[in-house]
Amino acid sequence: MKEILLCKYGEIVLKGANRRFFEDTLCKTLRFRAKHYGSFTITRSQSTLVIEPNDEFADIDGMFESASKVFGIVGISRCAVCEKDMSAIERTVKEYVPQFLDGKKTFKVEAKRSDKRFPLDSMRICAEVGGYVLETLPHLRVDVHNPEIVVHVEIREFAAYIHAGQFKGAGGMPVGSNGKALLLLSGGIDSPVAGYMIAKRGVQIDAVHFESFPYTSERAKEKVLELAREVAQYAGSFNVHVVSLTHIQEELVKTCEEDYFTLLLRRYMMAIADRLAHKLGCGGLITGESLGQVASQTMQAIGVTDPVATLPVFRPCIGMDKEEIVQIARKIGTFETSIQPYEDCCTVFTPKHPRTRPELAKVLAEEQKLDFEALVQEALDGAYVERVRTEF
C-alpha cells in the first residue's frame, strides 16, 4: 500500500496575486527538509501540497514529523493511495483506516469526486465507505453533525486517496516570506518563544547572544546554542552571533551608579543588536520582553532603552503572562532547556534596587561617564558566529 502526505495551508490562500510567491517559498522549505529523508516529489493541488515518496527507502515517518513543524502548513494528513476501483477502495479502507479510529466512537465519511467519470457519485461513495468502516469496526456509529473523526475519500485523475483525521500543523506563514529580523537570544524562557512567534509570521531569523565570560560559563553558552537548535526545528537553520559584554559591565561597575546598571546595559545591548542587524540586512529586532515582568521591562524602562535602536523592535510576548509563555515553551520543546541552572549576562552585577521608573535624562547622564560608541564598537569587533543547523 502506497502512503503519501497531504499538507493543507491556511493564510496563503488569501494572498491573491502574491499567492504563488508564498507557495514557492513553502515548497522550497519542504524540498530542503525532504532531502534528509530520502527521495520525495512535492506537488501542489487545490490549496494542498502532496508529498509523495519515490521509492521504498523514503522515510515517510520522519518526513511527516518534519513537515508538521514547517510554518505555513495548518494541517497534515497521512493518506493511502489505491486504484480507482471500489474493491480496491474497500480493501484499503479496511486495512488502513482503523489505525486512525482507535479510541473513537463516532465518525462520518466525506467524499470528493474530482474525476467525474467515476461511476459512483459522492453520496454513494460516502455510503459505501461508511459501510466498510462499520463492517471492520462495528462499535462505531455514524454522526454526520459532530463526528470525532472524518474519513475522507478523494477520487482524483490517476488514483483514489483515503485518509482519516488531520494533524495540526505549525500554522503561520512560510519562513523567508516576510523579511528578516535579529533575535536577542538569552538562556531564559521568553526569548526562544519570541523567536518562534516571529518566525511563525514568515520572518527569517538570526540571533545575537550576549555573554560575560568568565563571569558566565561555557555551559551557559552551550545552553543557549541548544535553545537555538530547538527553535531551528521550526525557524530553519540560522546564525548565533556571540558578543561579549564583560568589558562593558566592568566599566559600568567602576563608573556608574549601581541602580542604573541594568538600564545602561540594556541600552548597550540594544545598540549593539541594532548595528549588527543593519549589517546583516535585518529589518527589525526581536526581544522576549513581557511588560512589567522584571525591572528592565516596565513601560518607563523600555522607554529609555528603545531610543538607541533605529529599527523596529518586535515583542510578541509583551502582553502575555508567564504561564502563557511557558505553555508555548513546552509546546516547542524549549522549556526544559531554558530552566537549566546556568547563569547569563543579565544575572551578573545585578543591582540590589534597580530603577523601575527611570528618567531618560538621568540615564543619559550616567551613560556619558563612559565612551559609549567606543565600547559598542569594541564589542562588535570581538563578536563571533556559531552556526546552528536544523536537526531533522
Side-chain angles (χ1 to χ4, degrees), residues 136-152:
T136 310
L137 302 168
H139 69 280
L140 292 175
R141 63 181 179 87
V142 175
D143 184 344
V144 296
H145 299 295
N146 190 30
E148 290 183 74
I149 194 165
V150 179
V151 177
H152 294 269

Side-chain angles (χ1 to χ4, degrees), residues 257-266 292-298 300-301 304 346 348-359 363:
E257 289 186 24
E258 180 184 0
D259 292 0
Y260 289 91
F261 287 176
T262 301
L263 293 166
L264 294 169
L265 183 63
R266 289 291 299 175
Q293 187 177 119
V294 294
S296 64
Q297 296 177 20
T298 64
Q300 295 88 342
V304 301
C346 294
V348 178
F349 306 122
T350 303
K352 293 180 180 180
H353 304 288
R355 295 276 176 165
T356 58
R357 292 179 173 83
E359 296 178 6
V363 173

Side-chain angles (χ1 to χ4, degrees), residues 15-41:
K15 293 303 177 183
N18 294 324
R19 176 170 167 171
R20 185 60 180 265
F21 164 73
F22 291 94
E23 290 178 331
D24 288 345
T25 304
L26 180 56
C27 285
K28 181 180 178 181
T29 299
L30 285 170
R31 289 188 179 113
F32 176 78
R33 292 192 174 218
K35 293 176 182 178
H36 295 77
Y37 300 102
S39 178
F40 290 87
T41 297

Side-chain angles (χ1 to χ4, degrees), residues 80-85 89 153-156 158-162:
V81 182
C82 68
E83 297 176 14
K84 292 188 299 181
D85 173 82
I89 291 172
V153 180
E154 300 182 37
I155 308 298
R156 301 200 178 193
F158 299 109
Y161 290 2
I162 299 162

Side-chain angles (χ1 to χ4, degrees), residues 78-97:
R78 303 181 75 119
C79 175
V81 182
C82 68
E83 297 176 14
K84 292 188 299 181
D85 173 82
M86 287 310 296
S87 61
I89 291 172
E90 178 181 4
R91 288 194 304 273
T92 304
V93 167
K94 291 182 175 180
E95 293 175 13
Y96 186 71
V97 170

